[in-house]
Amino acid sequence: MTEATRQRRAWQQAPWGRLRCTRANATLARHLPSPPATVLDLAGGDGADALRVARQGHEVTVLDRSAGMPAEAERAFADAGLPVRPDLADLPGAAPGPYDVVPAHNVIQHRPDPVVACARPSTSSRPAGCCR
C-alpha cells in the first residue's frame, strides 16, 4: 500500500472524511438512474465511492491518475467480485463512453482551469447525463 493510499484511508475514516462521503453519496443518489447505468468516476481514488455505486448494480469505470490508487480500486472491486476498469490514461477518448453519469467529487477545484476540467468529462456523458 502506498503512502498516498494510507493517507486517503485515514482521511476517509476521520469524521470529516465520513461526512464528505455521506454528503457525496446522497448527492450522487439523486442523479443516478435505475441500475444498470454506466458511471465514470473521475478521480475515483481507491474506488471507495465507486464501489458503493457498483454494489447498486451500476457499471462503473474509475479514472484516477494518482500513483497506486487505480490498483487499490481494482483490488477493492476484485475483493467484492465486481468488474472495474480503473486505470485509464486521460480524457477524452481513453474512457469509452458515453456514460449515464460522470461524478467528479473533490477534483474540479484542484485543476488549474476549472471550466476546462468540467467541460472535458461532460463530453463523455450522454446528453441527459450529469457531471457533478
Side-chain angles (χ1 to χ4, degrees):
M1 181 183 308
T2 66
E3 181 59 28
T5 302
R6 279 191 281 283
Q7 289 176 359
R8 171 92 172 141
R9 289 225 174 117
W11 179 83
Q12 287 171 329
Q13 294 169 1
W16 50 88
R18 290 193 315 267
L19 177 61
R20 178 255 170 221
C21 289
T22 300
R23 289 184 61 220
N25 289 331
T27 300
L28 183 57
R30 291 194 309 262
H31 297 283
L32 281 174
S34 297
T38 56
V39 179
L40 173 62
D41 188 3
L42 290 179
D46 62 2
D49 292 334
L51 191 56
R52 284 186 278 281
V53 173
R55 285 184 173 137
Q56 296 171 20
H58 300 290
E59 180 185 321
V60 182
T61 298
V62 178
L63 178 89
D64 197 290
R65 298 174 70 184
S66 302
M69 289 296 181
E72 290 297 320
E74 192 169 34
R75 199 170 2 266
F77 272 72
D79 289 349
L82 295 166
V84 70
R85 292 170 288 176
D87 192 13
L88 299 171
D90 204 0
L91 289 174
Y99 291 89
D100 296 310
V101 181
V102 183
H105 297 295
N106 198 26
V107 66
I108 302 298
Q109 69 272 24
H110 299 291
R111 304 302 304 157
D113 188 342
V115 173
V116 171
C118 197
R120 289 182 73 199
S122 68
T123 64
S124 294
S125 68
R126 296 186 196 286
C130 64
C131 174
R132 304 268 186 241

